Coordinates of all heavy atoms in Angstrom, one line a residue:
M2 N 3.4 7.5 14.7 CA 2.1 7.2 15.2 C 1.9 5.7 14.8 O 2.2 5.2 13.7 CB 1.1 8.1 14.4 CG -0.3 7.6 14.4 SD -1.5 8.6 13.5 CE -1.0 8.3 11.8
I3 N 1.3 5.0 15.8 CA 0.9 3.6 15.5 C -0.3 3.6 14.7 O -1.3 4.2 15.0 CB 0.7 2.8 16.9 CG1 1.9 2.8 17.8 CG2 0.1 1.4 16.6 CD1 2.9 1.8 17.4
V4 N -0.2 2.9 13.6 CA -1.4 2.7 12.7 C -2.1 1.4 12.9 O -3.3 1.3 13.0 CB -0.9 2.8 11.2 CG1 -2.1 2.6 10.2 CG2 -0.4 4.2 10.9
C5 N -1.3 0.3 13.0 CA -1.9 -1.0 13.2 C -1.4 -1.5 14.6 O -0.3 -1.8 14.8 CB -1.3 -2.0 12.1 SG -1.9 -3.7 12.4
H6 N -2.4 -1.5 15.5 CA -2.1 -1.9 16.9 C -1.8 -3.4 17.0 O -1.1 -3.8 17.9 CB -3.2 -1.4 17.8 CG -3.2 0.1 18.0 ND1 -2.5 0.8 18.9 CD2 -3.8 1.0 17.2 CE1 -2.7 2.1 18.8 NE2 -3.5 2.3 17.7
C7 N -2.5 -4.2 16.2 CA -2.2 -5.6 16.3 C -0.8 -6.0 16.0 O -0.2 -6.9 16.6 CB -3.1 -6.4 15.3 SG -4.9 -6.3 15.7
N8 N -0.2 -5.2 15.0 CA 1.2 -5.5 14.6 C 2.2 -4.5 14.9 O 3.4 -4.5 14.5 CB 1.2 -5.8 13.1 CG 0.5 -7.0 12.7 OD1 1.0 -8.1 13.0 ND2 -0.7 -6.9 12.1
Q9 N 1.8 -3.4 15.6 CA 2.7 -2.3 16.0 C 3.3 -1.7 14.8 O 4.5 -1.4 14.8 CB 3.7 -2.8 17.0 CG 3.1 -3.4 18.3 CD 2.3 -2.3 19.1 OE1 2.8 -1.3 19.4 NE2 1.0 -2.7 19.3
I10 N 2.6 -1.5 13.7 CA 3.1 -0.9 12.5 C 2.8 0.6 12.6 O 1.7 1.0 12.9 CB 2.4 -1.5 11.3 CG1 2.8 -3.0 11.1 CG2 2.8 -0.7 10.0 CD1 2.0 -3.7 10.0
T11 N 3.8 1.4 12.3 CA 3.7 2.9 12.4 C 3.6 3.5 11.0 O 3.8 2.8 10.0 CB 5.0 3.5 13.1 OG1 6.1 3.3 12.2 CG2 5.2 2.9 14.4
D12 N 3.2 4.7 11.0 CA 3.1 5.4 9.7 C 4.5 5.5 9.1 O 4.6 5.4 7.8 CB 2.6 6.9 9.9 CG 3.3 7.7 10.9 OD1 4.0 7.1 11.8 OD2 3.3 8.9 10.8
H13 N 5.5 5.6 9.8 CA 6.9 5.5 9.3 C 7.2 4.2 8.6 O 7.8 4.2 7.5 CB 7.9 5.8 10.4 CG 9.3 5.6 10.0 ND1 10.0 6.6 9.2 CD2 10.2 4.6 10.1 CE1 11.2 6.1 8.9 NE2 11.4 4.9 9.5
D14 N 6.7 3.1 9.2 CA 6.9 1.8 8.7 C 6.3 1.7 7.3 O 6.8 1.1 6.3 CB 6.4 0.7 9.6 CG 7.1 0.6 10.9 OD1 8.3 0.9 11.0 OD2 6.4 0.2 11.9
I15 N 5.1 2.2 7.2 CA 4.3 2.2 6.0 C 5.0 3.0 4.9 O 5.2 2.5 3.7 CB 2.8 2.7 6.2 CG1 2.1 1.7 7.1 CG2 2.1 2.8 4.8 CD1 0.8 2.1 7.6
R16 N 5.4 4.2 5.2 CA 6.1 5.0 4.2 C 7.4 4.3 3.8 O 7.8 4.4 2.6 CB 6.4 6.4 4.8 CG 5.2 7.3 4.9 CD 5.6 8.8 5.2 NE 6.4 8.9 6.3 CZ 6.0 9.1 7.6 NH1 4.7 9.1 7.8 NH2 6.9 9.2 8.6
A17 N 8.1 3.7 4.7 CA 9.4 3.1 4.4 C 9.1 1.9 3.4 O 9.8 1.7 2.5 CB 10.1 2.6 5.6
A18 N 8.1 1.1 3.7 CA 7.8 0.0 2.9 C 7.4 0.4 1.5 O 7.8 -0.2 0.5 CB 6.6 -0.9 3.5
V19 N 6.6 1.5 1.4 CA 6.3 2.0 0.0 C 7.5 2.4 -0.7 O 7.7 2.1 -1.9 CB 5.3 3.2 0.1 CG1 5.1 3.8 -1.2 CG2 3.9 2.7 0.6
G20 N 8.4 3.0 0.0 CA 9.7 3.4 -0.6 C 10.5 2.2 -1.1 O 11.1 2.3 -2.2
W21 N 10.6 1.2 -0.3 CA 11.3 0.0 -0.6 C 10.7 -0.6 -1.9 O 11.4 -1.0 -2.8 CB 11.3 -1.1 0.4 CG 11.8 -0.7 1.8 CD1 12.8 0.2 2.0 CD2 11.4 -1.2 3.0 NE1 13.0 0.3 3.4 CE2 12.2 -0.6 4.0 CE3 10.5 -2.1 3.4 CZ2 12.0 -0.8 5.4 CZ3 10.3 -2.4 4.8 CH2 11.1 -1.8 5.7
M22 N 9.4 -0.7 -1.9 CA 8.7 -1.3 -3.1 C 9.0 -0.5 -4.3 O 9.2 -1.1 -5.4 CB 7.3 -1.5 -2.8 CG 6.9 -2.6 -1.9 SD 5.2 -2.9 -1.7 CE 4.9 -2.3 -0.1
R23 N 8.9 0.8 -4.2 CA 9.1 1.6 -5.4 C 10.6 1.5 -5.9 O 10.9 1.5 -7.1 CB 8.8 3.1 -5.1 CG 7.4 3.4 -5.1 CD 6.8 3.4 -6.6 NE 5.4 3.6 -6.5 CZ 4.5 2.6 -6.9 NH1 4.9 1.5 -7.4 NH2 3.2 2.9 -6.8
A24 N 11.5 1.4 -4.9 CA 12.9 1.3 -5.3 C 13.2 0.0 -6.0 O 14.0 -0.1 -6.9 CB 13.8 1.5 -4.0
A25 N 12.5 -1.1 -5.5 CA 12.7 -2.4 -6.1 C 12.0 -2.5 -7.5 O 12.6 -3.2 -8.4 CB 12.2 -3.5 -5.2
D26 N 10.9 -1.9 -7.6 CA 10.1 -2.0 -8.9 C 9.2 -0.8 -9.0 O 8.2 -0.7 -8.3 CB 9.2 -3.3 -8.9 CG 8.5 -3.4 -10.1 OD1 8.5 -2.5 -11.0 OD2 7.7 -4.4 -10.3
P27 N 9.6 0.2 -9.8 CA 8.9 1.4 -9.9 C 7.5 1.3 -10.4 O 6.6 2.1 -10.1 CB 9.7 2.3 -10.9 CG 11.1 1.7 -10.9 CD 10.9 0.2 -10.5
D28 N 7.2 0.2 -11.0 CA 5.8 0.0 -11.6 C 5.0 -1.0 -10.7 O 3.9 -1.4 -11.1 CB 5.9 -0.6 -13.0 CG 6.5 0.4 -14.0 OD1 6.3 1.6 -13.7 OD2 7.1 0.0 -14.9
T29 N 5.5 -1.4 -9.6 CA 4.7 -2.3 -8.8 C 3.4 -1.7 -8.3 O 3.3 -0.5 -8.1 CB 5.5 -2.8 -7.5 OG1 4.8 -3.9 -7.0 CG2 5.7 -1.7 -6.5
I30 N 2.4 -2.5 -8.1 CA 1.1 -2.1 -7.5 C 1.2 -2.2 -6.0 O 1.4 -3.4 -5.5 CB -0.1 -2.9 -8.1 CG1 -0.2 -2.7 -9.6 CG2 -1.4 -2.6 -7.4 CD1 -1.1 -3.7 -10.3
V31 N 1.1 -1.1 -5.3 CA 1.3 -1.2 -3.9 C -0.1 -1.4 -3.2 O -1.1 -0.7 -3.5 CB 1.8 0.2 -3.4 CG1 1.9 0.2 -1.9 CG2 3.2 0.5 -4.0
T32 N -0.1 -2.5 -2.4 CA -1.4 -2.8 -1.7 C -1.0 -3.0 -0.2 O 0.1 -3.2 0.2 CB -1.9 -4.2 -2.2 OG1 -1.0 -5.2 -1.9 CG2 -2.1 -4.1 -3.7
P33 N -2.1 -2.9 0.6 CA -1.8 -3.1 2.0 C -1.2 -4.5 2.3 O -0.3 -4.7 3.1 CB -3.2 -3.0 2.7 CG -4.0 -2.1 1.7 CD -3.5 -2.5 0.4
G34 N -1.7 -5.5 1.6 CA -1.1 -6.9 1.7 C 0.4 -6.9 1.4 O 1.1 -7.6 2.2
K35 N 0.8 -6.2 0.4 CA 2.2 -6.2 0.1 C 3.0 -5.5 1.2 O 4.2 -5.8 1.5 CB 2.5 -5.6 -1.3 CG 2.1 -6.4 -2.4 CD 2.4 -5.7 -3.7 CE 2.1 -6.6 -4.9 NZ 2.5 -5.9 -6.2
I36 N 2.4 -4.5 1.7 CA 3.1 -3.7 2.8 C 3.3 -4.6 4.0 O 4.3 -4.7 4.6 CB 2.4 -2.4 3.1 CG1 2.5 -1.5 2.0 CG2 3.0 -1.8 4.4 CD1 1.8 -0.2 2.1
Y37 N 2.2 -5.3 4.4 CA 2.3 -6.3 5.5 C 3.4 -7.3 5.2 O 4.2 -7.6 6.1 CB 1.0 -7.0 5.8 CG 0.0 -6.2 6.7 CD1 -1.1 -5.5 6.1 CD2 0.2 -6.2 8.0 CE1 -1.9 -4.8 6.9 CE2 -0.7 -5.5 8.8 CZ -1.7 -4.8 8.3 OH -2.6 -4.1 9.1
H38 N 3.4 -7.8 4.0 CA 4.4 -8.8 3.7 C 5.8 -8.3 3.8 O 6.7 -8.9 4.3 CB 4.1 -9.4 2.3 CG 4.9 -10.5 1.9 ND1 4.8 -11.8 2.4 CD2 6.0 -10.6 1.1 CE1 5.7 -12.6 1.8 NE2 6.5 -11.8 1.0
A39 N 6.0 -7.1 3.2 CA 7.3 -6.4 3.2 C 7.8 -6.2 4.7 O 9.0 -6.3 4.9 CB 7.3 -5.1 2.5
L40 N 6.8 -6.0 5.6 CA 7.2 -5.8 7.0 C 7.3 -7.1 7.8 O 7.5 -7.1 9.0 CB 6.2 -4.9 7.6 CG 6.2 -3.4 7.1 CD1 5.0 -2.6 7.6 CD2 7.5 -2.7 7.3
G41 N 7.0 -8.2 7.1 CA 7.0 -9.5 7.7 C 5.9 -9.8 8.7 O 6.0 -10.5 9.7
K42 N 4.7 -9.2 8.4 CA 3.6 -9.3 9.3 C 2.3 -9.7 8.5 O 2.3 -9.7 7.2 CB 3.4 -8.0 10.0 CG 4.7 -7.5 10.7 CD 4.5 -6.5 11.7 CE 5.8 -6.1 12.3 NZ 5.8 -5.9 13.6
R43 N 1.3 -10.0 9.2 CA 0.0 -10.3 8.6 C -1.1 -9.5 9.3 O -1.1 -9.3 10.5 CB -0.3 -11.7 8.7 CG 0.7 -12.6 8.0 CD 0.3 -14.1 8.2 NE -0.8 -14.4 7.3 CZ -1.3 -15.6 7.2 NH1 -0.9 -16.6 7.9 NH2 -2.3 -15.8 6.3
A44 N -2.1 -9.0 8.5 CA -3.2 -8.3 9.1 C -4.0 -9.3 10.0 O -4.0 -10.5 9.8 CB -4.1 -7.8 8.0
D45 N -4.5 -8.7 11.1 CA -5.2 -9.5 12.0 C -6.7 -9.1 12.1 O -7.5 -9.7 11.4 CB -4.6 -9.4 13.4 CG -5.1 -10.4 14.4 OD1 -6.0 -11.2 14.1 OD2 -4.7 -10.3 15.6
C46 N -7.0 -8.1 12.8 CA -8.4 -7.7 13.0 C -8.9 -6.9 11.8 O -10.1 -6.9 11.6 CB -8.6 -7.0 14.3 SG -8.0 -5.3 14.3
G47 N -8.1 -6.2 11.1 CA -8.5 -5.3 10.0 C -9.0 -4.0 10.4 O -9.4 -3.2 9.6
G48 N -9.1 -3.7 11.7 CA -9.6 -2.5 12.2 C -8.8 -1.2 11.8 O -9.3 -0.1 11.8
C49 N -7.6 -1.4 11.4 CA -6.7 -0.3 11.0 C -6.8 0.0 9.5 O -6.2 1.0 9.1 CB -5.3 -0.7 11.4 SG -4.7 -2.1 10.5
M50 N -7.5 -0.8 8.8 CA -7.4 -0.7 7.3 C -7.7 0.7 6.7 O -6.9 1.1 5.8 CB -8.3 -1.8 6.7 CG -7.8 -2.2 5.3 SD -6.0 -2.6 5.2 CE -5.8 -3.9 6.5
K51 N -8.7 1.4 7.2 CA -9.0 2.7 6.7 C -7.8 3.6 6.9 O -7.4 4.3 5.9 CB -10.2 3.3 7.3 CG -10.7 4.5 6.7 CD -12.1 4.9 7.3 CE -12.5 6.2 6.7 NZ -13.9 6.6 7.2
L52 N -7.3 3.7 8.1 CA -6.1 4.5 8.4 C -4.9 4.0 7.7 O -4.0 4.8 7.1 CB -5.9 4.6 9.9 CG -4.7 5.5 10.3 CD1 -4.9 6.9 9.8 CD2 -4.6 5.5 11.8
F53 N -4.7 2.7 7.6 CA -3.6 2.1 6.9 C -3.5 2.5 5.5 O -2.5 3.0 4.9 CB -3.7 0.6 7.0 CG -2.4 -0.2 6.7 CD1 -1.6 -0.7 7.7 CD2 -2.0 -0.4 5.4 CE1 -0.5 -1.4 7.4 CE2 -0.9 -1.1 5.1 CZ -0.1 -1.6 6.1
V54 N -4.7 2.4 4.8 CA -4.7 2.8 3.4 C -4.5 4.3 3.2 O -3.8 4.7 2.3 CB -6.1 2.4 2.7 CG1 -6.3 3.0 1.4 CG2 -6.1 0.8 2.7
A55 N -5.0 5.1 4.1 CA -4.8 6.6 4.0 C -3.3 6.9 4.1 O -2.8 7.7 3.4 CB -5.6 7.3 5.1
Q56 N -2.6 6.2 5.1 CA -1.2 6.4 5.2 C -0.4 6.0 4.0 O 0.5 6.6 3.6 CB -0.7 5.7 6.5 CG -1.2 6.3 7.8 CD -0.7 7.7 8.0 OE1 0.5 8.0 7.7 NE2 -1.6 8.6 8.4
M57 N -0.8 4.8 3.5 CA -0.2 4.3 2.3 C -0.3 5.3 1.1 O 0.7 5.5 0.4 CB -0.9 2.9 1.9 CG -0.3 2.2 0.8 SD -1.2 0.6 0.6 CE -2.6 1.2 -0.5
R58 N -1.5 5.8 0.9 CA -1.8 6.7 -0.2 C -1.0 8.0 0.0 O -0.7 8.7 -1.0 CB -3.2 7.0 -0.3 CG -4.0 5.8 -0.9 CD -5.4 6.1 -1.1 NE -6.1 5.0 -1.8 CZ -7.4 4.8 -1.8 NH1 -8.2 5.5 -1.1 NH2 -7.8 3.8 -2.5
A59 N -0.8 8.4 1.2 CA -0.1 9.7 1.5 C 1.4 9.6 1.4 O 2.1 10.6 1.4 CB -0.4 10.2 2.9
A60 N 1.9 8.3 1.3 CA 3.4 8.1 1.3 C 4.0 8.6 0.0 O 3.4 8.5 -1.1 CB 3.7 6.6 1.4
D61 N 5.2 9.2 0.1 CA 5.9 9.7 -1.1 C 6.2 8.5 -1.9 O 6.5 7.4 -1.4 CB 7.2 10.3 -0.7 CG 7.0 11.7 -0.1 OD1 6.0 12.3 -0.2 OD2 8.0 12.1 0.6
G62 N 6.0 8.6 -3.2 CA 6.3 7.5 -4.1 C 5.1 6.5 -4.3 O 5.2 5.6 -5.1
F63 N 4.0 6.7 -3.6 CA 2.9 5.8 -3.7 C 2.3 5.9 -5.1 O 2.1 4.9 -5.8 CB 1.8 6.1 -2.7 CG 0.5 5.3 -2.9 CD1 0.5 3.9 -2.6 CD2 -0.6 5.8 -3.5 CE1 -0.6 3.1 -2.9 CE2 -1.7 5.0 -3.7 CZ -1.7 3.7 -3.4
A64 N 2.1 7.1 -5.6 CA 1.5 7.3 -6.9 C 2.5 7.0 -8.0 O 3.7 7.3 -7.9 CB 0.9 8.7 -7.0
V65 N 2.0 6.5 -9.1 CA 2.8 6.2 -10.3 C 2.2 7.1 -11.4 O 1.0 7.3 -11.6 CB 2.7 4.8 -10.8 CG1 3.4 4.6 -12.1 CG2 3.2 3.9 -9.7
G66 N 3.1 7.7 -12.1 CA 2.7 8.6 -13.3 C 1.8 9.7 -12.8 O 2.2 10.5 -12.0
E67 N 0.6 9.8 -13.3 CA -0.3 10.9 -13.0 C -1.1 10.6 -11.8 O -2.3 10.4 -11.9 CB -1.2 11.1 -14.2 CG -0.4 11.6 -15.5 CD -1.3 11.8 -16.7 OE1 -2.6 11.8 -16.5 OE2 -0.8 11.9 -17.8
A68 N -0.4 10.5 -10.7 CA -1.1 10.3 -9.4 C -2.0 9.1 -9.3 O -3.0 9.1 -8.7 CB -1.8 11.6 -9.0
Q69 N -1.6 8.0 -9.9 CA -2.4 6.8 -9.8 C -1.5 5.7 -9.2 O -0.4 5.5 -9.5 CB -2.8 6.4 -11.2 CG -3.8 7.3 -11.9 CD -4.3 6.7 -13.2 OE1 -4.3 5.6 -13.4 NE2 -4.9 7.6 -14.0
P70 N -2.1 4.9 -8.3 CA -1.4 3.8 -7.7 C -1.2 2.6 -8.6 O -0.4 1.8 -8.4 CB -2.3 3.4 -6.5 CG -3.7 3.8 -7.0 CD -3.5 5.0 -7.8
V71 N -1.9 2.6 -9.8 CA -1.8 1.5 -10.7 C -1.0 2.0 -11.9 O -1.3 3.1 -12.5 CB -3.2 1.0 -11.1 CG1 -3.1 -0.1 -12.2 CG2 -4.0 0.5 -9.9
P72 N 0.0 1.3 -12.4 CA 0.7 1.7 -13.6 C -0.2 1.9 -14.7 O -1.2 1.1 -14.9 CB 1.7 0.5 -13.8 CG 1.9 -0.1 -12.5 CD 0.5 0.0 -11.8
A73 N 0.0 2.9 -15.5 CA -0.8 3.3 -16.6 C -1.1 2.1 -17.6 O -2.3 2.0 -18.1 CB -0.3 4.5 -17.4
V74 N -0.2 1.3 -17.8 CA -0.4 0.2 -18.7 C -1.4 -0.8 -18.2 O -2.0 -1.5 -19.0 CB 1.0 -0.6 -19.0 CG1 1.5 -1.2 -17.7 CG2 0.8 -1.5 -20.1
L75 N -1.7 -0.8 -16.9 CA -2.7 -1.7 -16.3 C -4.0 -1.1 -16.1 O -5.0 -1.8 -15.7 CB -2.1 -2.3 -15.0 CG -0.8 -3.1 -15.1 CD1 -0.4 -3.5 -13.7 CD2 -1.0 -4.3 -16.0
T76 N -4.2 0.2 -16.3 CA -5.5 0.8 -16.1 C -6.4 0.5 -17.2 O -6.0 0.3 -18.3 CB -5.3 2.3 -15.9 OG1 -4.7 2.9 -17.1 CG2 -4.5 2.7 -14.7
G77 N -7.7 0.5 -17.0 CA -8.7 0.3 -18.0 C -8.8 -1.1 -18.5 O -9.4 -1.4 -19.5
L78 N -8.2 -2.1 -17.7 CA -8.3 -3.5 -18.2 C -9.6 -4.1 -17.8 O -10.0 -5.1 -18.4 CB -7.2 -4.3 -17.5 CG -5.8 -3.8 -18.0 CD1 -4.7 -4.7 -17.3 CD2 -5.6 -4.0 -19.5
R79 N -10.3 -3.6 -16.8 CA -11.6 -4.2 -16.4 C -12.6 -3.9 -17.4 O -12.8 -2.8 -17.9 CB -12.0 -3.7 -15.0 CG -13.3 -4.3 -14.6 CD -13.8 -3.7 -13.3 NE -12.8 -4.0 -12.2 CZ -12.9 -3.5 -11.0 NH1 -13.9 -2.7 -10.7 NH2 -12.0 -3.7 -10.1
R80 N -13.4 -4.9 -17.8 CA -14.4 -4.7 -18.8 C -15.8 -4.7 -18.1 O -15.9 -5.4 -17.1 CB -14.4 -5.8 -19.8 CG -13.2 -5.8 -20.6 CD -13.3 -6.9 -21.7 NE -12.0 -6.8 -22.4 CZ -11.8 -7.4 -23.5 NH1 -12.7 -8.1 -24.1 NH2 -10.6 -7.3 -24.1
T81 N -16.7 -4.0 -18.6 CA -18.0 -3.9 -18.0 C -18.8 -5.0 -18.7 O -18.4 -5.6 -19.6 CB -18.7 -2.6 -18.3 OG1 -18.8 -2.4 -19.7 CG2 -17.9 -1.4 -17.7
A82 N -20.0 -5.3 -18.1 CA -20.9 -6.3 -18.6 C -21.3 -6.0 -20.0 O -21.5 -6.9 -20.9 CB -22.1 -6.5 -17.7
A83 N -21.4 -4.7 -20.4 CA -21.8 -4.3 -21.7 C -20.6 -4.5 -22.7 O -20.8 -4.5 -23.9 CB -22.2 -2.9 -21.7
G84 N -19.5 -4.7 -22.3 CA -18.4 -4.9 -23.2 C -17.2 -4.3 -22.8 O -16.1 -4.2 -23.2
Ligands
FES19 S1 -5.2 -3.1 14.1 FE1 -4.2 -3.6 12.2 S2 -4.8 -5.7 11.9 FE2 -5.7 -5.2 13.8

């Protein structure tokens, strides 16, 4: 299925890119921008982003550890205004 019509990116392309990234670095933070970059493309209109992210999240290997896209060591780093 075509996910990004501007760049002709398919759901298969997204799953493959997530797999490549995980194989290269199991702790990498997977983002849509990194997937576009891995595929040698750039987002254009952004109209696909909701479906793009859904496909990315559904890809095998997207989650790290306990079903989180961010490595555990990097979670909880944001501080609130209260401290
Ligand atoms: S449809 Fe994906 S950038 Fe336009």
Side-chain angles (χ1 to χ4, degrees):
M2 159 181 75
I3 298 282
V4 174
C5 176
H6 290 271
C7 291
N8 291 291
Q9 302 298 305
I10 296 173
T11 66
D12 56 332
H13 174 77
D14 296 330
I15 293 170
R16 287 194 306 272
V19 170
W21 301 331
M22 284 187 252
R23 282 287 175 246
D26 181 359
D28 293 330
T29 193
I30 297 171
V31 177
T32 65
K35 285 184 176 179
I36 292 175
Y37 274 104
H38 185 75
L40 296 172
K42 308 199 181 220
R43 299 180 76 176
D45 189 3
C46 74
C49 61
M50 207 46 57
K51 187 173 180 179
L52 180 58
F53 195 101
V54 170
Q56 291 297 319
M57 185 179 84
R58 288 183 171 158
D61 289 340
F63 174 73
V65 173
E67 296 178 13
Q69 294 188 17
V71 177
V74 65
L75 298 177
T76 59
L78 295 179
R79 183 183 297 172
R80 295 182 183 196
T81 62

